[in-house]
Protein backbone atom coordinates (compact mmCIF):
# COMPACT_ATOMS: atom_id res chain seq x y z
CA UNK A 1 0.00 0.00 0.00
CA UNK A 2 2.94 2.36 0.51
CA UNK A 3 3.50 2.07 -3.24
CA UNK A 4 -0.04 1.84 -4.64
CA UNK A 5 -2.01 3.92 -2.16
CA UNK A 6 -0.34 7.23 -2.99
CA UNK A 7 -2.75 9.69 -4.56
CA UNK A 8 -3.28 9.19 -8.34
CA UNK A 9 -0.99 6.14 -8.54
CA UNK A 10 -3.70 3.64 -9.49
CA UNK A 11 -5.09 6.06 -12.07
CA UNK A 12 -1.65 6.32 -13.65
CA UNK A 13 -1.49 2.52 -13.76
CA UNK A 14 -4.97 2.46 -15.30
CA UNK A 15 -3.87 4.87 -18.03
CA UNK A 16 -0.86 2.70 -18.83
CA UNK A 17 -3.07 -0.40 -18.95
CA UNK A 18 -5.42 1.47 -21.31
CA UNK A 19 -2.56 1.99 -23.77
CA UNK A 20 -1.14 5.43 -22.98
CA UNK A 21 2.63 5.39 -23.31
CA UNK A 22 3.68 9.04 -23.56
CA UNK A 23 3.73 11.68 -20.85
CA UNK A 24 1.24 13.99 -22.57
CA UNK A 25 -1.19 11.12 -23.17
CA UNK A 26 -1.00 10.20 -19.50
CA UNK A 27 -1.71 13.83 -18.62
CA UNK A 28 -4.82 13.82 -20.82
CA UNK A 29 -6.09 10.75 -19.02
CA UNK A 30 -5.56 12.30 -15.59
CA UNK A 31 -5.89 16.03 -16.33
CA UNK A 32 -6.28 17.16 -12.71
CA UNK A 33 -2.89 15.71 -11.84
CA UNK A 34 -0.05 18.23 -12.03
CA UNK A 35 2.82 17.45 -14.44
CA UNK A 36 5.33 17.47 -11.58
CA UNK A 37 3.31 14.98 -9.57
CA UNK A 38 2.82 12.72 -12.60
CA UNK A 39 6.58 12.76 -13.18
CA UNK A 40 7.16 11.90 -9.52
CA UNK A 41 4.70 8.99 -9.62
CA UNK A 42 6.27 7.60 -12.78
CA UNK A 43 9.70 7.75 -11.16
CA UNK A 44 8.40 5.91 -8.09
CA UNK A 45 6.71 3.22 -10.20
CA UNK A 46 9.85 2.84 -12.32
CA UNK A 47 12.08 2.39 -9.28
CA UNK A 48 9.65 -0.22 -7.94
CA UNK A 49 9.80 -2.20 -11.18
CA UNK A 50 6.16 -1.58 -12.11
CA UNK A 51 6.94 0.74 -15.03
CA UNK A 52 9.73 0.66 -17.61
CA UNK A 53 11.03 3.92 -19.07
CA UNK A 54 12.70 3.81 -22.47
CA UNK A 55 13.64 6.13 -25.33
CA UNK A 56 12.13 5.51 -28.76
CA UNK A 57 13.49 7.98 -31.28
CA UNK A 58 13.27 11.36 -29.59
CA UNK A 59 10.38 10.43 -27.31
CA UNK A 60 10.24 8.91 -23.85
CA UNK A 61 7.96 5.88 -23.65
CA UNK A 62 6.46 4.44 -20.47
CA UNK A 63 5.21 0.85 -20.41
CA UNK A 64 4.18 -1.54 -17.70
CA UNK A 65 6.52 -4.37 -16.81
CA UNK A 66 5.25 -7.90 -16.23
CA UNK A 67 4.83 -6.89 -12.60
CA UNK A 68 2.76 -3.87 -13.61
CA UNK A 69 0.58 -5.78 -16.08
CA UNK A 70 -0.49 -8.13 -13.31
CA UNK A 71 -2.37 -5.18 -11.79
CA UNK A 72 -4.98 -5.40 -14.57
CA UNK A 73 -7.24 -7.58 -12.40
CA UNK A 74 -6.96 -5.09 -9.53
CA UNK A 75 -7.83 -2.11 -11.76
CA UNK A 76 -10.75 -3.93 -13.38
CA UNK A 77 -12.11 -5.01 -10.00
CA UNK A 78 -11.92 -1.45 -8.64
CA UNK A 79 -13.68 -0.14 -11.75
CA UNK A 80 -16.50 -2.68 -11.49
CA UNK A 81 -16.89 -2.02 -7.76
CA UNK A 82 -17.10 1.73 -8.27
CA UNK A 83 -19.73 1.42 -11.01
CA UNK A 84 -21.85 -0.91 -8.89
CA UNK A 85 -21.77 1.04 -5.66
CA UNK A 86 -20.87 4.64 -6.48
CA UNK A 87 -22.99 5.29 -9.56
CA UNK A 88 -24.53 8.64 -8.60
CA UNK A 89 -22.94 11.40 -10.68
CA UNK A 90 -22.10 14.72 -9.04
CA UNK A 91 -20.85 17.81 -10.83
CA UNK A 92 -17.18 17.13 -10.09
CA UNK A 93 -17.50 13.79 -11.93
CA UNK A 94 -18.48 15.53 -15.19
CA UNK A 95 -15.28 16.24 -17.09
CA UNK A 96 -15.61 16.51 -20.89
CA UNK A 97 -11.89 16.02 -21.60
CA UNK A 98 -11.69 12.82 -19.53
CA UNK A 99 -14.92 11.54 -21.10
CA UNK A 100 -13.86 12.19 -24.70
CA UNK A 101 -10.38 10.77 -24.10
CA UNK A 102 -11.89 7.56 -22.72
CA UNK A 103 -14.33 7.34 -25.64
CA UNK A 104 -11.50 7.87 -28.12
CA UNK A 105 -9.39 4.97 -26.91
CA UNK A 106 -12.11 2.33 -26.56
CA UNK A 107 -14.49 2.90 -29.47
CA UNK A 108 -15.07 -0.18 -31.67
CA UNK A 109 -12.90 0.81 -34.62
CA UNK A 110 -14.13 -2.14 -36.71
CA UNK A 111 -17.59 -0.56 -36.80
CA UNK A 112 -16.32 2.61 -38.49
CA UNK A 113 -16.11 3.18 -42.27
CA UNK A 114 -12.75 2.63 -43.90
CA UNK A 115 -12.64 6.23 -45.15
CA UNK A 116 -11.82 9.04 -42.74
CA UNK A 117 -14.92 9.76 -40.68
CA UNK A 118 -15.60 12.59 -38.23
CA UNK A 119 -18.31 12.84 -35.59
CA UNK A 120 -18.82 16.19 -33.86
CA UNK A 121 -20.14 16.59 -30.32
CA UNK A 122 -21.96 19.60 -28.89
CA UNK A 123 -22.15 19.29 -25.12
CA UNK A 124 -24.45 21.56 -23.17
CA UNK A 125 -23.59 21.92 -19.49
CA UNK A 126 -19.85 21.85 -20.22
CA UNK A 127 -17.65 24.96 -19.91
CA UNK A 128 -17.82 26.97 -23.18
CA UNK A 129 -14.18 26.25 -24.03
CA UNK A 130 -14.73 22.48 -23.76
CA UNK A 131 -18.26 22.11 -25.12
CA UNK A 132 -17.31 21.23 -28.72
CA UNK A 133 -15.38 18.11 -29.68
CA UNK A 134 -14.53 16.20 -32.84
CA UNK A 135 -13.83 12.46 -32.94
CA UNK A 136 -12.00 11.38 -36.09
CA UNK A 137 -11.21 7.84 -37.23
CA UNK A 138 -8.82 7.31 -40.14
CA UNK A 139 -6.56 4.41 -41.09
CA UNK A 140 -7.78 2.39 -38.12
CA UNK A 141 -6.78 5.03 -35.55
CA UNK A 142 -8.92 7.41 -33.53
CA UNK A 143 -8.13 11.00 -32.57
CA UNK A 144 -10.16 13.42 -30.48
CA UNK A 145 -9.88 17.19 -30.89
CA UNK A 146 -11.26 20.16 -29.00
CA UNK A 147 -10.85 22.27 -32.15
CA UNK A 148 -12.35 21.87 -35.61
CA UNK A 149 -10.00 19.65 -37.66
CA UNK A 150 -11.43 21.13 -40.85
CA UNK A 151 -12.81 17.85 -42.19
CA UNK A 152 -16.30 17.00 -43.37
CA UNK A 153 -18.50 15.92 -40.47
CA UNK A 154 -20.49 12.71 -40.96
CA UNK A 155 -22.76 13.32 -37.96
CA UNK A 156 -23.21 15.73 -35.07
CA UNK A 157 -24.25 14.53 -31.61
CA UNK A 158 -26.00 17.19 -29.53
CA UNK A 159 -26.58 16.35 -25.89
CA UNK A 160 -25.63 17.38 -22.38
CA UNK A 161 -22.36 16.44 -20.77
CA UNK A 162 -24.28 14.56 -18.10
CA UNK A 163 -26.37 12.58 -20.61
CA UNK A 164 -23.34 11.51 -22.67
CA UNK A 165 -21.52 10.51 -19.49
CA UNK A 166 -24.52 8.42 -18.41
CA UNK A 167 -24.67 6.71 -21.80
CA UNK A 168 -20.95 6.00 -21.76
CA UNK A 169 -21.16 4.56 -18.24
CA UNK A 170 -24.10 2.37 -19.15
CA UNK A 171 -26.64 4.20 -16.96
CA UNK A 172 -28.88 4.44 -20.02
CA UNK A 173 -28.76 3.19 -23.61
CA UNK A 174 -28.27 5.14 -26.80
CA UNK A 175 -31.69 4.03 -27.98
CA UNK A 176 -33.47 5.33 -24.88
CA UNK A 177 -31.55 8.61 -24.93
CA UNK A 178 -32.50 9.24 -28.56
CA UNK A 179 -36.13 8.33 -27.93
CA UNK A 180 -36.51 10.58 -24.89
CA UNK A 181 -34.80 13.48 -26.67
CA UNK A 182 -31.81 13.80 -24.38
CA UNK A 183 -29.61 13.07 -27.42
CA UNK A 184 -30.10 14.23 -30.98
CA UNK A 185 -28.01 13.03 -33.91
CA UNK A 186 -27.83 15.07 -37.11
CA UNK A 187 -26.56 13.63 -40.36
CA UNK A 188 -27.63 11.29 -43.11
CA UNK A 189 -30.04 8.54 -42.12
CA UNK A 190 -27.23 5.96 -42.40
CA UNK A 191 -24.96 8.03 -40.16
CA UNK A 192 -27.69 8.62 -37.58
CA UNK A 193 -28.28 4.88 -37.30
CA UNK A 194 -24.55 4.11 -37.19
CA UNK A 195 -23.39 6.62 -34.54
CA UNK A 196 -24.52 4.54 -31.52
CA UNK A 197 -22.54 1.58 -32.93
CA UNK A 198 -19.56 3.77 -33.81
CA UNK A 199 -19.35 5.21 -30.30
CA UNK A 200 -20.61 2.27 -28.23
CA UNK A 201 -20.25 2.35 -24.47
CA UNK A 202 -17.55 1.98 -21.84
CA UNK A 203 -16.06 -1.41 -21.10
CA UNK A 204 -17.69 -1.09 -17.65
CA UNK A 205 -21.16 -0.33 -19.05
CA UNK A 206 -22.25 -3.94 -18.78
CA UNK A 207 -21.46 -4.19 -15.06
CA UNK A 208 -24.77 -5.02 -13.30
CA UNK A 209 -26.00 -2.51 -10.75
CA UNK A 210 -27.54 -3.55 -7.42
CA UNK A 211 -31.32 -3.29 -7.18
Amino acid sequence: MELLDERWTMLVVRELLAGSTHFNDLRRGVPKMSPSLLSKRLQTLTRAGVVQRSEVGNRTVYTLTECGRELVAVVEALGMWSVRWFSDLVEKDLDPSVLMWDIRRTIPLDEWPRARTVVAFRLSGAPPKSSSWWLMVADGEAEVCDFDPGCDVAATVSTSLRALTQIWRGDQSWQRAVLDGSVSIDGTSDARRAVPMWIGQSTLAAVPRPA
Side-chain angles (χ1 to χ4, degrees):
M1 295 309 296
E2 289 181 3
L3 172 66
L4 298 178
D5 194 36
E6 288 189 304
R7 190 181 184 194
W8 303 108
T9 295
M10 289 304 294
L11 289 178
V12 174
V13 171
R14 176 187 179 274
E15 289 304 307
L16 290 163
L17 285 169
S20 295
T21 57
H22 298 112
F23 190 86
N24 286 338
D25 290 343
L26 291 166
R27 283 200 64 197
R28 293 189 72 176
V30 194
K32 294 180 181 179
M33 187 179 189
S34 70
S36 60
L37 185 56
L38 173 57
S39 179
K40 182 179 179 180
R41 291 292 182 267
L42 287 168
Q43 291 173 8
T44 299
L45 290 169
T46 300
R47 287 196 299 269
V50 176
V51 169
Q52 178 177 330
R53 184 182 187 275
S54 57
E55 301 296 328
V56 178
N58 295 323
R59 302 192 68 183
T60 301
V61 174
Y62 298 94
T63 54
L64 290 168
T65 63
E66 181 181 1
C67 165
R69 290 192 298 272
E70 282 196 7
L71 288 170
V72 64
V74 178
V75 172
E76 289 178 350
L78 286 171
M80 293 173 65
W81 177 75
S82 67
V83 168
R84 281 179 56 80
W85 298 106
F86 296 91
S87 59
D88 291 339
L89 287 173
V90 296
E91 288 304 312
K92 68 180 181 65
D93 297 324
L94 303 177
D95 188 315
S97 61
V98 172
L99 174 64
M100 295 307 301
W101 185 248
D102 200 40
I103 289 175
R104 168 255 176 198
R105 64 185 174 198
T106 56
I107 56 173
L109 292 172
D110 292 342
E111 297 287 348
W112 287 68
R114 292 181 179 273
R116 181 176 60 193
T117 305
V118 178
V119 174
F121 294 81
R122 303 290 179 263
L123 304 178
S124 62
K129 291 184 178 180
S130 56
S131 62
S132 296
W133 295 83
W134 290 262
L135 180 63
M136 179 171 63
V137 173
D139 300 324
E141 295 187 1
E143 293 295 334
V144 65
C145 307
D146 58 0
F147 58 88
D148 190 343
C151 304
D152 291 338
V153 174
T156 299
V157 177
S158 299
T159 184
S160 68
L161 174 58
R162 177 176 289 274
L164 186 59
T165 302
Q166 289 174 327
I167 292 170
W168 186 243
R169 285 161 40 98
D171 298 332
Q172 68 170 328
S173 67
W174 277 98
Q175 181 181 18
R176 179 180 296 179
V178 170
L179 288 174
D180 68 18
S182 58
V183 170
S184 66
I185 304 174
D186 298 318
T188 65
S189 57
D190 287 343
R192 291 198 304 270
R193 287 193 296 269
V195 162
M197 293 183 292
W198 290 349
I199 307 303
Q201 291 179 295
S202 161
T203 54
L204 294 173
V207 174
R209 274 63 163 179

